[in-house]
Amino acid sequence: MDVTRELLEFSNYGTLVCATLVLLLGRKLVGWIGPLRTYSIPEPVAAGLLVALGTLALRQLGNVELKFDTSLQSPLMLSFFATIGLSANLASLRAGGSRLVLFLGVVAGMLVVQNTIGVGLAMAMGLSPGVGLLGGSITLAGGHGTGAAWGQTLTTRYGVQSALEIAMACATFGLVLGGLLGGPVARYLVGRLGGNVPGADASKQATPEGFEQPHTVRLITAQSLIETVAMIAICLLGGEVLAHWLSGTALELPTFVCVLFTGVVVRNLLSLVGYEVFERSLSVLGNVSLSLFLAMALMALRLWDLSTLALPMIVILVVQAVSMAAYAIFVTFRVMGRNYDAAVLAAGHCGFGLGATPTAIANMQAVTERFGPSHIAFLIVPMVGAFFIDILNALVIKGFLSLPLF
């Protein structure tokens, strides 16, 4: 029976106010609640989920539905990826060297595992193997955008019914679990290292770099902020133009990947002419964009959409979450060196392996803010999670679709 609900809409300004309040609440929650600190749950995740649960309760019990204007969400996400690109000079990327290649191999392995689990469980429960792919790397590593794109393909070419709705629900589930699993996994791995971690004192004494210490005070000027905003704007425009050029070609990439690539090009061209990007203002604006994006994304979650997942899909996604945690502990951590950097990389892998790159960065920030910096993790994860993952995922998905099962 349909229920008439009162719709309470927030403008973009109202949504921005709510997002900032969510971030302030998140910091208080992490300060007040010990388990959130112990398991390094990111502040936007803690408060954003609380608000999402509140809107669910209000909808179900009070027949009032909140609708947020998320028009600012995309620009904030793109600004974050622009700062990631602007932070990546080629000299530092070369420093990642073999570990970057090694991590790519680890990530590719998990994509295969996710699709094997999804397809295998779907067929075992009498579902189409295409449904298993939707509960695999298409939505978990790919997120909502990739899920929407492949959902249409699976419906038109492979006859999977309600593929778009399934994709959106699976991606939402993954975003939530990606933000919740990374911290506990890292906490467990750090515990296994004993005292072999940088520690809070080392974290405070170290010079803050990039996104590793989001709460560290950074001295910046209005001029440096203006210069940084100008570079971010150039990246947004350049990425938009590049995405338009590539649209419909074999090289088509999501806009955020094009924005990140533009940032890398701009950063290194400026270095060639002797201009040094001011890292402090870059990290401040990047962290602000990231935090507001996550707050908006999580507080606007339509948790009731998860009710559209039938029991078989819930089973698939729960197994996927457990598998991601196990893979991060027994494969990612071990292959990447069984040290503190490997623990932070494992937290990041949980973030974009189930959710999205911003979730991965938030996971790692929650860990490094408590236990100390990990420069290599913040060098590798953004590039792999925001750039290489989409290319790898497309290849893996196409490989599965070429099997006789489809």
Side-chain angles (χ1 to χ4, degrees), residues 163-239:
L164 183 59
E165 290 77 6
I166 294 172
M168 293 301 98
C170 289
T172 300
F173 186 95
L175 187 66
V176 173
L177 266 294
L180 292 176
L181 277 182
V185 165
R187 169 69 181 176
Y188 169 74
L189 294 174
V190 168
R192 292 179 58 182
L193 295 174
N196 191 25
V197 296
D201 292 338
S203 169
K204 293 174 182 176
Q205 293 170 5
T207 301
E209 294 193 15
F211 302 92
E212 293 172 70
Q213 304 295 323
H215 295 145
T216 300
V217 175
R218 291 168 169 82
L219 300 178
I220 57 179
T221 65
Q223 182 62 35
S224 66
L225 275 178
I226 292 172
E227 291 176 1
T228 305
V229 169
M231 288 186 288
I232 292 174
I234 291 171
C235 293
L236 297 182
L237 177 60

Side-chain angles (χ1 to χ4, degrees), residues 72-86 228-244 254-264 266 289:
L72 290 176
Q73 192 173 316
S74 180
L76 287 168
M77 180 191 70
L78 295 177
S79 296
F80 163 70
F81 281 110
T83 61
I84 291 292
L86 290 168
T228 305
V229 169
M231 288 186 288
I232 292 174
I234 291 171
C235 293
L236 297 182
L237 177 60
E240 183 180 58
V241 171
L242 181 60
H244 178 72
T255 302
F256 73 88
V257 177
C258 295
V259 169
L260 182 144
F261 177 76
T262 303
V264 174
V266 169
S289 300

Side-chain angles (χ1 to χ4, degrees), residues 2-292:
D2 292 333
V3 177
T4 302
R5 293 187 174 87
E6 180 182 351
L7 183 63
L8 181 59
E9 296 188 66
F10 290 82
S11 67
N12 56 353
Y13 298 124
T15 302
L16 182 59
V17 169
C18 292
T20 55
L21 293 177
V22 163
L23 295 177
L24 295 174
L25 175 61
R27 185 154 198 186
K28 292 294 184 183
L29 288 175
V30 172
W32 289 336
I33 303 174
L36 295 179
R37 295 193 306 276
T38 299
Y39 295 104
S40 301
I41 303 299
E43 294 168 4
V45 174
L49 283 181
L50 183 62
V51 173
L53 289 170
T55 58
L56 174 63
L58 194 61
R59 183 180 188 272
Q60 300 301 112
L61 303 177
N63 289 330
V64 176
E65 183 172 335
L66 303 184
K67 183 178 181 180
F68 296 101
D69 183 340
T70 56
S71 57
L72 290 176
Q73 192 173 316
S74 180
L76 287 168
M77 180 191 70
L78 295 177
S79 296
F80 163 70
F81 281 110
T83 61
I84 291 292
L86 290 168
S87 299
N89 63 67
L90 294 179
S92 64
L93 289 178
R94 284 195 295 270
S98 59
R99 281 179 287 187
L100 176 61
V101 176
L102 196 60
F103 191 61
L104 280 172
V106 170
V107 169
M110 187 58 203
L111 296 177
V112 174
V113 169
Q114 284 181 331
N115 288 332
T116 301
I117 290 174
V119 172
L121 287 177
M123 296 182 66
M125 292 184 286
L127 300 175
S128 163
V131 173
L133 282 183
L134 289 172
S137 73
I138 286 180
T139 59
L140 299 182
H144 290 83
T146 302
W150 282 102
Q152 293 176 346
T153 300
L154 287 170
T155 296
T156 55
R157 296 186 185 178
Y158 300 93
V160 179
Q161 299 301 313
S162 302
L164 183 59
E165 290 77 6
I166 294 172
M168 293 301 98
C170 289
T172 300
F173 186 95
L175 187 66
V176 173
L177 266 294
L180 292 176
L181 277 182
V185 165
R187 169 69 181 176
Y188 169 74
L189 294 174
V190 168
R192 292 179 58 182
L193 295 174
N196 191 25
V197 296
D201 292 338
S203 169
K204 293 174 182 176
Q205 293 170 5
T207 301
E209 294 193 15
F211 302 92
E212 293 172 70
Q213 304 295 323
H215 295 145
T216 300
V217 175
R218 291 168 169 82
L219 300 178
I220 57 179
T221 65
Q223 182 62 35
S224 66
L225 275 178
I226 292 172
E227 291 176 1
T228 305
V229 169
M231 288 186 288
I232 292 174
I234 291 171
C235 293
L236 297 182
L237 177 60
E240 183 180 58
V241 171
L242 181 60
H244 178 72
W245 285 346
L246 297 178
S247 179
T249 71
L251 298 176
E252 183 174 359
L253 291 170
T255 302
F256 73 88
V257 177
C258 295
V259 169
L260 182 144
F261 177 76
T262 303
V264 174
V265 173
V266 169
R267 168 63 185 265
N268 289 279
L269 286 177
L270 290 175
S271 296
L272 287 177
V273 298
Y275 177 86
E276 289 299 323
V277 174
F278 195 61
E279 298 285 354
R280 292 177 181 177
S281 59
L282 192 65
S283 63
V284 166
L285 290 174
N287 280 313
V288 169
S289 300
L290 170 64
S291 298
L292 287 173

